[in-house]
Amino acid sequence: MLCNEINTLPSENTKKAQNKKKHIILWSLLGTLSAGCIVVGLGVGLSQRIPSSTNINTMITIIDLGYIVNDDDDTLINTINLKNGTTFTTDDLIFTYKSPTSATVAGQNQYKGNVNITFAVSTDINTLITITNLGCISNDDDSSLTNVINIDNGTTFVTNDLDFTSHTDTMATVTGQGKYQGSIDISFETTNDIDKLIAVKDLGYLMNNNDSTLVATININNRRNGTTFTIDDLIFTEVNTTSATVTGRNQYRGTLNLTFEISVDINTLITTTNIDYIANDEDSTLISSINVKNGTTFVAGDLTFTNKTTTSVTITGQDKYQGSVVINFAISNDINLIIANKNIGVVTDDGDDTLIADINNKNGTTFTTADLNFTNKNTGSVMATGQGQYQGSAQINFGTISGINWDGQQPSNLEGLSGSATYIAEVYGQGTLDSSACDVDWNWETLNGDQTLPSGLTITATNSGTNNDEYDLAWDYTGSVDCSVQLKIIATSHADDRYTINTSTLLTAQKTSTAAIHGSSTVTADYDRDGTANFTVTYAGVDPSTGTDWTVDSVTPVAQDAFSFTSASQNLTGTLQWDHTKIECLDYTVTIKATSKANSSTYATKNVVIHNRGAVESIVISGGWTTGGISAQVVGVNVDQGVTWSLNNVAYSNAQDCSTRVWIDNANLNSTEIKSEYNGLGWGRAEWDLIAVSSQDARVSNTVPGSWNWNNDEP
């Protein structure tokens, strides 16, 4: 078909034929691709050409745009065109997503498709170079200018990041390149006058006043100007211990005065290097001991400490001090420093031997009775004083355990296939008790004194509580027979195991049990009448005589309080009942549950569909007694129309032949025929009652009388 071809419409004769057949034909023209165009039916028999679109995926092949000045649409489109040789405009592309480093571009109008592009927005150097007056420098080449910019502004530019143009003796224009953008003017002064190049003239503390030391310190203190002096560039005169005059030579000129201080060699100050016992080897302690032993006034920052061991350390002077010296020491035996844990917790008694043993245990020490003397002893503390190789005094705090009790009622009987129980004990005492003094150690055992349990029974015990004073006992039984075991739960003071208590617990677990509910899964109900349905439950593994709790778990759709079990249903049979005033003419799914009273973990559930059909009100019988002339109509709400037909009370008059009869024939859901047969002579008569009973609700029926007369041989 050509793109401008006109489709032929149906002829008038065709329309007439279609009208005669009472058919309606809707003409719609399907889009047809032909000769590079799309033909679209316009509903009136015409076709129109629509140009095809180009996918931008075939045109935008370079998707990493590199650094760009900003991420507005014009910039992105121009960069795409530059990178890919395309000529897109803002009418051709739309950006559906943007992030700081990527965007999704979609074609529009004559273009289609999507492409994900990446980029980085370059940083404007105006935000980084805030100090533009670089002062005096000795060299204005690009590398030197970059170095001074970095020093003054805290930046990290490299040579390729910046381009220097409009360069004069006193200024230049700096332009960002690559990941940088923007331009800024900088100013400077190039000079060979050392008075301008050496801006920092106070050199601080020096090791000595040799020319090489002076030159090196000048370069360190004045590195921003880009100049690195050599020893041949400067002449030093009038040199003393606090100052010197320096004059430039070769390419440098000018003269200036320098000031400095020669640091003191600590070897001339620290003459006593063995400082004996010290409290610890911390830097502050070492400095304090050095000062005491040598009459010095060192402070933090004057000395550094290296190669530290338990008996020596190397110290080196800093700033106004120089030189190194090895200091020898020994950690003091002051018991205040050795006995770090002065709260030794619970002791069994306050005898010297017991106290020393507990001090050693808490502090990792090896005191003997000859090392410590105890005074001022009371129920919770004692003063310990060092003797012999030890010195100093320390107050030692302790406590004693008085007993352990159960805290609250303890479970004596545990029942069920699984469960848990908690035991709580309390340790009490006097004196100073640390955080662990009241800790409780727990255990359980059977009457046999071990942890041997019946097959299928497992026990898991965990400690909890602030001082492990709670004992959580959990059990699970998966065996096939009933089991019973006597347990002993034991609580002991962790600090003093002489104090312990126990309690007896009987654990009983019945064998694994199951339950099943029996009864119809679908029950038919009439929405205008209350109803009931019976169900039974069978058990395995539990005693059924204990009883059953029958409950309704859920009803869908929700019918509040419409369904329940009769209160007397506490045995193996449960009667589900419903109140018709609380439900509608719908199907309800009722989840029922039967739970063993002997073991609440043994239960069964069943989903029962209550088909709540409509209500039959009456049956209307109409028609005569001719063939096919009798019909029935069931009257009611949402009811089935079917009936069951029957004859009753049939009686014959003057019936002279045993073949005389009346019967129902061709009966169906809502109509029937009554036929008769009379083979006698003369007249005869038959009478009957015709009964129609609702197929849906047998309680609803209608009865109408009927009769038939025969005359001679013709019925």
Side-chain angles (χ1 to χ4, degrees), residues 517 535 551-553 565 576 590-594 604-606 608:
I517 296 177
F535 300 91
T551 55
V552 175
D553 259 17
F565 279 91
L576 178 67
V590 182
T591 302
I592 63 174
K593 183 176 182 181
T605 60
K606 182 179 182 69
V608 180

Side-chain angles (χ1 to χ4, degrees), residues 536-603:
T536 60
V537 61
T538 57
Y539 295 107
V542 296
D543 182 4
S545 65
T546 306
T548 300
D549 284 327
W550 291 90
T551 55
V552 175
D553 259 17
S554 63
V555 179
T556 305
V558 176
Q560 186 69 28
D561 299 329
F563 298 89
S564 62
F565 279 91
T566 58
S567 59
S569 298
Q570 301 298 322
N571 49 36
L572 298 179
T573 299
T575 300
L576 178 67
Q577 62 182 7
W578 54 90
D579 182 348
H580 79 279
T581 64
K582 297 181 180 180
I583 57 178
E584 300 178 22
C585 192
L586 301 171
D587 285 352
Y588 289 86
T589 299
V590 182
T591 302
I592 63 174
K593 183 176 182 181
T595 305
S596 168
K597 282 183 171 293
N599 185 352
S600 61
S601 63
T602 303
Y603 62 87

Side-chain angles (χ1 to χ4, degrees), residues 436-494:
S436 63
C438 295
D439 283 357
V440 179
D441 292 332
W442 294 91
N443 197 11
W444 66 267
E445 61 185 34
T446 66
L447 289 183
N448 295 328
D450 56 24
Q451 293 187 338
T452 303
L453 296 172
S455 177
L457 178 63
T458 58
I459 290 180
T460 303
T462 56
N463 296 354
S464 61
T466 305
N467 300 107
N468 288 327
D469 55 356
E470 295 185 15
Y471 195 49
D472 299 316
L473 194 74
W475 74 92
D476 183 60
Y477 180 61
T478 59
S480 58
V481 298
D482 293 346
C483 81
S484 177
V485 62
Q486 194 81 33
L487 302 176
K488 183 166 68 171
I489 312 301
I490 306 168
T492 304
S493 167
H494 178 77

Side-chain angles (χ1 to χ4, degrees), residues 144-155:
S144 297
L145 290 173
T146 300
N147 180 60
V148 177
I149 288 172
N150 285 337
I151 292 174
D152 283 358
N153 293 275
T155 50

Side-chain angles (χ1 to χ4, degrees), residues 269-300 303 305 313 315 327-332 337:
L269 302 175
I270 303 175
T271 56
T272 302
T273 58
N274 188 351
I275 58 177
D276 297 327
Y277 289 103
I278 58 176
N280 54 62
D281 62 355
E282 294 178 0
D283 293 356
S284 59
T285 302
L286 289 168
I287 290 175
S288 177
S289 298
I290 291 171
N291 287 337
V292 170
K293 291 289 186 179
N294 292 275
T296 49
T297 57
F298 296 118
V299 296
L303 305 174
F305 299 85
V313 65
I315 61 173
I327 299 296
N328 300 306
F329 57 85
I331 301 299
S332 172
L337 303 176

